[in-house]
Amino acid sequence: MNNETTGIIYGINGPVIYIKGKTGFRMGEMVYVGKEKLVGEVIRLDEKKTTIQVYEETSGLKPGEEVISTGAAISVTLAPGILDNIFDGIERPLGEIANISGAYINRGVSVDSLDGQKKWSTHITVEEGQHIYGGTIIAEVPETPSIVHKVMVPPNTEGYVLKVVPDGEYTIHDPLIKLQLENGDEIDLTMVQKWPIRVPRPYSKRYPASMPLITGQRILDTLFPIAKGGTAAIPGGFGTGKTMNQHQIAKWSDADIIVYIGCGERGNEMTQVLEDFSKLADPKTGNHLMARTSLIANTSNMPVAAREASIYTGITLAEYYRDMGYHVAIMADSTSRWAEALRELSGRLEEMPAEEGFPAYLASKLSAFYERSGMVQNLNGTEGSVSIIGAVSPQGGDFSEPVTQNTKRFVRCFWGLDKSLAYARHFPAINWLTSYSEYMSDLAPWYSEHVGKNFVDYRNQLISLLNQESSLMEIVKLIGSDVLPDDQKLILEIARVIRLGFLQQNAFHKDDTCVSMDKQLKMMETILYLYDKSKALVTMGMPMSVLRKSDIFERVINIKYDVPNDHPELFDEYHNAIDAFYQNVIDTNA
Amino acid sequence: MAIEYLGLSQINGSLIALEGVQDAAYDEIVEITADNGKEKKLGRIVECYADKAVIQVFEGSENLSLTNTHTKLTGHPMEVALSPDVLGRTFNGIGEPTDGLGPIKAELKRDVNGQPLNPVSREYPRDYIRTGISAIDGLTTLIRGQKLPIFSGNGLPHDQLAAQIVKQASLGDNAGDEKFAIVFAAMGVKYDVAEFFRRTFEESGVSDHVAMYLNLANDPVVERLITPKLALTVAEYLAFEKGMHILVILTDMTSFAEAMREVSSSKGEIPSRKGYPGYLYSELATIYERAGIVKGRSGSVTQIPILTMPNDDITHPIPDLTGYITEGQIVLDRQLHGQNIYPPISVLPSLSRLMKDGIGEGFTRADHQAVANQLFSAYAKVGDARNLASVIGEDELSSTDKKYLEFGKAFESRFVGQGENENRTIIDTLTIGWELLRMLPREELDRIDTKILDQYYDAPSSKN
């Protein structure tokens, strides 16, 4: 392995450098650039020159400095220590970098991705003589209080176990198993695997969507659910709450593991995630949320090439945990920044721009990314999933721009954020008319079985009422609401109850921030019961003005605050109150 | 080190090319001398190929010729002299003193490009700054360490607003805070604007706490690319090494972006949106992200960038990309300005992302968030009622809609509108908020908890 290729820098243009002439570098290979050994990747090769993108700031670099090959594609290190940690876009631990270089990130800091000194308590799960293959779980390591890390045989490796170490404390680099390969060679297996970030990790087969990723957010779980292994996009202009929604899902969803990618976003937001998640308790295990979370922070002021890589780094980590049999959810905030990084680099390479200056391969890159999601059977027979929730920051909040449009083609859930809802501080500001989920029909059997037989029916009634409201509002805008007939006024009133009482959800309220499916069902049931009873009254000829005299509508709106999550029996009171309201209207007005 | 090169191979606008150079580094600063040393300029290497360097000349390439120019490599990127003595001084856009008080005795020099702040080392900002302006304190609270731009248009009073924030923030609750200072960077602004700020600082007695970096409209365009970076390097130094609370005013970011477009196109780069270079977002981010608080240090950098939206269009790439980086925005509105309301802050599109963690019990008052949400929500309905009124006439409106119209008028004139020297406390602001909310029927207030309503809505005299 000593025949390392080197080259001499010929030209520098921002994050892109050139080497003149034909070189022995390989496409996609990771290289070290210049005296400071900046990390770079070979992105184009031809007879005349080699083009390299550098993952760090290039100022001070000079032509004539050396470029050294590593022989490997740009890869991540996979082993215990990924969770409860924060990395930059190419898996360098930011905590460790802070220890070395202080508050600011210096260039060319050389740190290992994962702590090689720490001893992990290890339980070996294979025996001598056993035949093992790619994916086989060879050891279990309690990585955090919430998650047991399963050490696996790297894909494409197969053989017989010659020797195993006893259970005990080992570092990630200690050999655990001696393996005899088919060809007779003997190799040591440690906890570490390296995997190139641009290559999807293999699995044996992919399942169709069958169960939802429960997020505790009513508008998502009930109206526009995402399946485990599914894909969703959250597009919205600035200030509409993309990040807030991503935080809520990362906090409360029932995924086992969260990979949160802050791609080209604000530094303070990542700090906030780090602070909050270290304090908040995971609703499933009671441990702090970081114990199931890995953060990738490539903020907007960090080098642009690493921003492009951060998305791939994140999904590779997610696939690795999926291979162990976990359900992983990725928050990518924001994929537009990633697309812009592509555009920026493409501009530096003087490629022919397509729509809005984005490179023509934008669509194929996006589809390749979203297709790495899925609910699968792993090589070792376990089941796991990777769900991708990507924020999109469309230019000027205009959904017709290329990133939103191309993303829409490859995701099955679209949670469109709406500026006017955000202006009115209606959160989550997801527009119920433009959003959709293609998973609803796939997930209907799961909902009937696990939540309630009527769930899908109720949900459809809700959607229908909201749509009726929207068409009525067109009329109201022209002539005012007073002239509408009473049955239509009732629809407006019930739609108001749905909007305020069901769709709006307060992320800062201890009960309302995450709501169980059972409570969601009961809330819908109560609202629809109120509708049925009121409709009966209106049909009898009672005017809406009489119905509105009662405070029942306000009470139902406030269910979200007044009924704590662990007291579902309180819903009976509302049922009785609605009956009383019905009787009362009849008694006093008949 | 100090090899001088004679002659150039090409001059194109502010870019010059030099061949036969040895050891030139990307982003290095070069000194250029023309006409036998009569004229000195600085330049920055923006591209280099083997022995050829493309240099951007800060003061413009006038007077340079292919033969008479001497170029010297300095061996380092653009640096700025740092010392606490910069306060009270005035500099040009590349950090040279212009007030005739002689050079700065530098404690140290530092690369103006800065380095990205490690998210692990940041501290999440939580302390609010009282500006004394209701629309800001009440609805888009400014937090120490935040970057909160003012989106304005030509002819709107953004300068007055920024000046009022500076004056009142430096008095107010933070009075007596010796450690408060202002770094002011002007990029391509008119002389009158720079003069207005200078006078305001003087009148409010803070001018010895201000460092001014001025690149005026007739100063070289290329210098504008350096000015904000320079100012922020000074701000970071004062904040994180001298423990001061620094308010940075950057005006006008639109000129900065225009300068970038100009230079990019003369370099022959491939343009993306509206001719701006593809790296506009990254470049803006390296400026805005330099606000914040560092763990374990006592100071902070708060940024108020001002930008004029071309044609008042908030979807133009400059305000658009800015809004995606900054932690909110304060948007000024021409219509309100036309009604003589000062400050003409359009509250609905305005936002402070850090507000939620810096207000409420222990910071301002427990009902603050609820009042803000309700005001936003009610004011959004005012818009609907106005639209309806313009179709069917005010008389035909329902009584609730009529109340909303009244509320809207009062909100604009009493809550948003205030005097240029009026400094309201947070309690004043919330009291006005409640007075306005009382104009609406209680059942319309759907964003406020019953308990808070009981305490404040029903007890008009309670002022806490």
Side-chain angles (χ1 to χ4, degrees):
Chain A
M1 280 294 207
N2 263 344
N3 52 350
E4 63 180 18
T5 319
T6 59
I8 301 294
I9 300 176
Y10 166 70
I12 304 157
N13 178 5
V16 175
I17 65 164
Y18 302 102
I19 300 173
K20 211 174 188 177
K22 206 170 159 181
T23 57
F25 289 113
R26 280 185 277 169
M27 188 70 182
E29 187 177 43
M30 179 173 137
V31 293
Y32 290 119
V33 178
K35 280 184 232 151
E36 291 176 281
K37 292 210 158 192
L38 310 178
V39 178
E41 181 181 4
V42 179
I43 50 172
R44 192 194 274 172
L45 289 164
D46 62 36
E47 294 266 302
K48 295 199 193 82
K49 68 182 181 204
T50 300
T51 311
I52 291 168
Q53 66 177 8
V54 183
Y55 288 133
E56 293 178 75
E57 178 59 48
T58 50
S59 55
L61 212 58
K62 293 175 181 173
E65 288 185 37
E66 203 177 35
V67 180
I68 305 164
S69 76
T70 62
I74 189 115
S75 325
V76 286
T77 308
L78 302 168
I82 294 172
L83 296 180
D84 196 3
N85 209 338
I86 175 167
F87 301 100
D88 77 351
I90 47 174
E91 211 206 2
R92 291 184 301 185
L94 288 172
E96 201 50 39
I97 291 180
N99 288 342
I100 295 175
S101 70
Y104 292 94
I105 301 175
N106 288 340
R107 292 187 303 146
V109 196
S110 167
V111 286
D112 291 330
S113 293
L114 301 172
D115 188 346
Q117 306 296 319
K118 182 169 178 180
K119 298 228 174 201
W120 298 90
S121 120
T122 311
H123 167 61
I124 303 289
T125 53
V126 289
E127 294 163 356
E128 282 169 20
Q130 192 177 333
H131 178 244
I132 58 175
Y133 48 90
T136 306
I137 294 165
I138 56 172
E140 290 183 342
V141 175
E143 184 176 354
T144 67
S146 310
I147 299 293
V148 174
H149 190 106
K150 293 171 182 159
V151 181
M152 294 169 291
V153 180
N156 310 320
T157 309
E158 195 171 341
Y160 289 92
V161 179
L162 289 180
K163 224 171 92 185
V164 301
V165 296
D167 289 2
E169 306 272 310
Y170 297 100
T171 71
I172 56 172
H173 297 300
D174 288 333
L176 300 178
I177 280 177
K178 197 174 267 304
L179 189 69
Q180 184 171 39
L181 303 178
E182 304 280 288
N183 61 10
D185 288 354
E186 288 176 15
I187 57 166
D188 284 326
L189 290 184
T190 65
M191 291 184 206
V192 178
Q193 290 188 30
K194 290 252 180 190
W195 192 262
I197 58 171
R198 297 185 200 278
V199 181
R201 286 175 64 85
Y203 51 82
S204 27
K205 75 173 178 204
R206 194 165 162 176
Y207 296 117
S210 61
M211 58 167 128
L213 180 78
I214 303 293
T215 61
Q217 311 302 304
R218 285 186 294 262
I219 186 160
L220 304 185
D221 290 345
T222 298
L223 296 192
F224 310 112
I226 175 177
K228 285 213 172 79
T231 49
I234 314 183
F238 54 82
T240 49
K242 289 181 298 298
T243 305
M244 209 44 223
N245 274 305
Q246 296 249 22
H247 283 195
Q248 284 297 98
I249 299 169
K251 280 177 194 164
W252 306 120
S253 75
D254 67 344
D256 299 313
I257 287 175
I258 303 288
V259 176
Y260 194 104
I261 309 169
C263 171
E265 287 287 311
R266 306 174 182 88
N268 277 333
E269 274 171 8
M270 292 316 288
T271 309
Q272 188 194 8
V273 173
L274 197 60
E275 282 184 14
D276 280 5
F277 284 30
S278 304
K279 272 183 252 151
L280 282 172
D282 179 350
K284 276 209 301 192
T285 61
N287 300 314
H288 64 98
L289 278 169
M290 275 309 286
R292 64 159 192 179
T293 309
S294 183
L295 299 179
I296 296 180
N298 213 92
T299 56
S300 54
N301 54 344
M302 281 153 81
V304 64
R307 191 186 309 160
E308 191 264 333
S310 64
I311 290 276
Y312 295 102
T313 301
I315 193 135
T316 311
L317 298 184
E319 285 175 341
Y320 176 62
Y321 281 93
R322 173 204 69 195
D323 290 349
M324 299 177 199
Y326 288 115
H327 295 292
V328 188
I330 292 191
M331 310 296 135
D333 187 13
S334 133
T335 56
S336 292
R337 301 294 156 241
W338 168 70
E340 275 161 20
L342 284 180
R343 173 165 73 183
E344 187 171 331
L345 293 165
S346 159
R348 300 269 192 192
L349 296 174
E350 303 189 344
E351 289 171 343
M352 183 70 81
E355 214 180 330
E356 299 248 7
F358 286 104
Y361 47 78
L362 173 70
S364 57
K365 290 250 181 184
L366 274 171
S367 63
F369 168 66
Y370 281 106
E371 275 305 304
R372 288 176 77 170
S373 66
M375 167 82 101
V376 302
Q377 184 182 54
N378 293 314
L379 298 177
N380 54 21
T382 56
E383 274 177 26
S385 68
V386 173
S387 317
I388 302 179
I389 293 149
V392 183
S393 322
Q395 307 159 359
D398 168 14
F399 291 177
S400 67
E401 56 91 45
V403 183
T404 317
Q405 282 309 312
N406 282 311
T407 304
K408 251 181 141 167
R409 289 164 53 204
F410 307 119
V411 299
R412 295 186 62 199
C413 242
F414 184 80
W415 300 328
L417 297 174
D418 189 322
K419 218 173 205 169
S420 57
L421 289 176
Y423 283 180
R425 292 339 186 232
H426 170 115
F427 288 115
I430 296 170
N431 184 317
W432 48 91
L433 300 171
T434 57
S435 302
Y436 59 79
S437 165
E438 293 175 13
Y439 293 112
M440 200 60 221
S441 50
D442 296 333
L443 300 174
W446 189 94
Y447 279 118
S448 318
E449 193 183 327
H450 293 89
V451 187
K453 286 219 161 22
N454 298 324
F455 182 87
V456 178
D457 177 42
Y458 288 164
R459 178 254 179 200
N460 293 341
Q461 286 188 44
L462 239 55
I463 295 245
S464 145
L465 282 167
L466 288 167
N467 276 296
Q468 290 178 46
E469 182 205 26
S470 147
S471 29
L472 288 177
M473 286 312 280
E474 297 294 315
I475 305 172
V476 172
K477 263 185 209 149
L478 293 176
I479 55 171
S481 60
D482 279 356
V483 292
L484 292 181
D486 279 321
D487 57 336
Q488 295 188 343
K489 278 187 193 156
L490 173 63
I491 288 177
L492 291 185
E493 185 66 22
I494 285 293
R496 187 177 80 93
V497 174
I498 297 173
R499 279 189 286 113
L500 300 181
F502 192 81
L503 300 183
Q504 249 182 46
Q505 193 164 352
N506 187 343
F508 304 107
H509 189 281
K510 69 175 173 36
D511 280 314
D512 205 32
T513 185
C514 170
V515 179
S516 68
M517 287 311 297
D518 190 43
K519 184 172 167 189
Q520 296 189 25
L521 175 73
K522 289 220 160 67
M523 286 173 77
M524 275 201 289
E525 204 166 55
T526 311
I527 293 171
L528 292 170
Y529 187 66
L530 175 63
Y531 177 56
D532 287 344
K533 285 288 168 189
S534 314
K535 201 169 163 189
L537 290 171
V538 169
T539 322
M540 277 179 229
M542 304 291 175
M544 265 314 279
S545 51
V546 172
L547 270 62
R548 275 210 202 98
K549 278 191 190 124
S550 158
D551 67 345
I552 188 72
F553 295 100
E554 306 308 318
R555 279 188 67 193
V556 171
I557 287 174
N558 280 320
I559 286 182
K560 56 180 180 179
Y561 299 137
D562 296 342
V563 178
N565 292 333
D566 45 357
H567 287 286
E569 72 283 357
L570 289 177
F571 277 99
D572 295 340
E573 280 179 26
Y574 289 90
H575 204 271
N576 297 338
I578 294 170
D579 285 339
F581 150 75
Y582 176 79
Q583 205 51 48
N584 184 28
V585 173
I586 290 185
D587 291 349
T588 49
N589 297 283
Chain B
M1 201 61 182
I3 308 172
E4 276 201 7
Y5 298 95
L6 179 63
L8 301 170
S9 61
Q10 203 189 0
I11 301 177
N12 174 9
S14 62
L15 295 178
I16 59 174
L18 183 63
E19 277 176 21
V21 282
Q22 307 256 310
D23 227 25
Y26 179 69
D27 217 19
E28 182 175 340
I29 290 295
V30 296
E31 288 170 17
I32 301 152
T33 326
D35 263 3
N36 296 325
K38 271 187 227 148
E39 201 173 344
K40 273 189 193 253
K41 294 168 191 277
L42 287 180
R44 183 175 78 103
I45 299 183
V46 290
E47 261 176 73
C48 56
Y49 296 99
D51 62 348
K52 182 181 173 197
V54 179
I55 299 163
Q56 191 180 75
V57 186
F58 289 132
E59 285 120 309
S61 54
E62 286 77 23
N63 251 339
L64 299 185
S65 85
L66 294 180
T67 49
N68 76 347
T69 310
H70 295 256
T71 315
K72 195 166 87 183
L73 300 182
T74 60
H76 57 76
M78 186 74 186
E79 286 180 334
V80 57
L82 297 175
S83 152
D85 300 342
V86 295
L87 292 177
R89 301 288 305 270
T90 306
F91 307 86
N92 69 5
I94 51 174
E96 294 159 349
T98 54
D99 48 8
L101 298 174
I104 294 288
K105 263 208 182 124
E107 217 172 63
L108 71 161
K109 286 190 157 195
R110 192 162 290 164
D111 181 357
V112 299
N113 290 309
Q115 279 169 325
L117 191 54
N118 193 329
V120 172
S121 309
R122 277 184 188 268
E123 192 168 306
Y124 190 70
R126 287 179 201 279
D127 296 329
Y128 93 105
I129 299 178
R130 185 164 72 78
T131 63
I133 298 163
S134 289
I136 297 177
D137 288 352
L139 303 177
T140 50
T141 319
L142 177 65
I143 306 287
R144 225 169 225 172
Q146 184 174 22
K147 38 195 178 289
L148 189 64
I150 299 176
F151 286 8
S152 181
N154 295 315
L156 294 180
H158 42 266
D159 295 329
Q160 283 85 330
L161 179 61
Q164 191 179 2
I165 294 174
V166 166
K167 263 190 295 191
Q168 299 184 168
S170 57
L171 300 166
D173 295 350
N174 316 311
D177 196 344
E178 282 299 304
K179 296 271 189 181
F180 183 88
I182 296 152
V183 174
F184 179 84
M187 288 88 72
V189 301
K190 293 168 284 243
Y191 170 81
D192 293 350
V193 172
E195 184 56 24
F196 167 79
F197 275 102
R198 202 191 51 74
R199 218 175 42 234
T200 314
F201 294 147
E202 218 160 66
E203 281 165 7
S204 49
V206 291
S207 51
D208 53 338
H209 281 277
V210 184
M212 295 184 87
Y213 293 86
L214 303 179
N215 169 278
L216 300 183
N218 56 351
D219 287 339
V221 169
V222 190
E223 280 185 23
R224 273 166 219 170
L225 298 176
I226 292 293
T227 313
K229 297 182 178 180
L230 201 90
L232 285 163
T233 310
V234 173
E236 282 174 349
Y237 162 80
L238 292 173
F240 304 136
E241 269 153 67
K242 298 291 157 196
M244 303 176 96
H245 292 294
I246 306 293
L247 188 63
V248 183
I249 308 241
L250 303 169
T251 178
D252 167 347
M253 290 306 288
T254 308
S255 307
F256 171 80
E258 297 290 344
M260 217 153 72
R261 175 162 71 177
E262 188 174 329
V263 170
S264 163
S265 93
S266 65
K267 270 162 82 179
E269 288 174 337
I270 295 190
S272 69
R273 267 167 92 192
K274 292 214 170 166
Y276 293 97
Y279 46 83
L280 177 64
Y281 180 81
S282 300
E283 198 65 24
L284 288 173
T286 54
I287 291 175
Y288 297 138
E289 276 289 320
R290 292 174 80 173
I293 306 179
V294 176
K295 261 183 204 153
R297 317 269 173 95
S298 52
S300 65
V301 176
T302 310
Q303 269 187 34
I304 302 187
I306 298 172
L307 58 88
T308 44
M309 298 182 281
N311 198 24
D312 293 350
D313 175 11
I314 199 171
T315 64
H316 184 280
I318 301 169
D320 189 40
L321 295 179
T322 298
Y324 278 121
I325 306 164
T326 54
E327 284 141 348
Q329 64 275 337
I330 295 171
V331 184
L332 300 192
D333 181 55
R334 202 168 290 280
Q335 219 183 337
L336 285 177
H337 182 59
Q339 293 165 28
N340 263 329
I341 290 167
Y342 171 88
I345 295 175
S346 175
V347 298
L348 293 182
S350 298
L351 169 77
S352 164
R353 289 165 188 273
L354 301 183
M355 168 177 179
K356 59 186 189 302
D357 296 303
I359 61 168
E361 200 136 28
F363 297 100
T364 54
R365 201 169 78 179
D367 58 327
H368 189 161
Q369 185 74 57
V371 170
N373 286 346
Q374 188 62 61
L375 286 171
F376 275 124
S377 155
Y379 190 58
K381 282 191 191 151
V382 171
D384 296 341
R386 281 183 184 161
N387 287 340
L388 189 58
S390 69
V391 179
I392 60 171
E394 231 172 273
D395 293 345
E396 300 293 315
L397 290 181
S398 66
S399 65
T400 321
D401 280 343
K402 279 184 190 150
K403 279 188 184 138
Y404 271 112
L405 283 190
E406 266 172 54
F407 165 82
K409 223 179 223 165
F411 177 80
E412 284 163 5
S413 60
R414 292 183 51 207
F415 191 88
V416 176
Q418 67 183 77
E420 239 175 274
N421 291 311
E422 191 179 346
N423 192 351
R424 294 184 187 158
T425 66
I426 192 76
I427 300 298
D428 290 345
T429 296
L430 291 177
T431 307
I432 299 174
W434 277 111
E435 279 167 25
L436 295 171
L437 290 178
R438 267 181 227 117
M439 298 172 69
L440 299 170
R442 183 170 162 156
E443 58 272 17
E444 285 293 318
L445 307 183
D446 45 29
R447 303 299 163 90
I448 304 181
D449 227 56
T450 328
K451 265 183 246 153
I452 296 180
L453 275 179
D454 289 345
Q455 189 181 346
Y456 293 100
Y457 185 85
D458 296 331
S461 59
S462 103
K463 282 196 178 172
N464 265 37

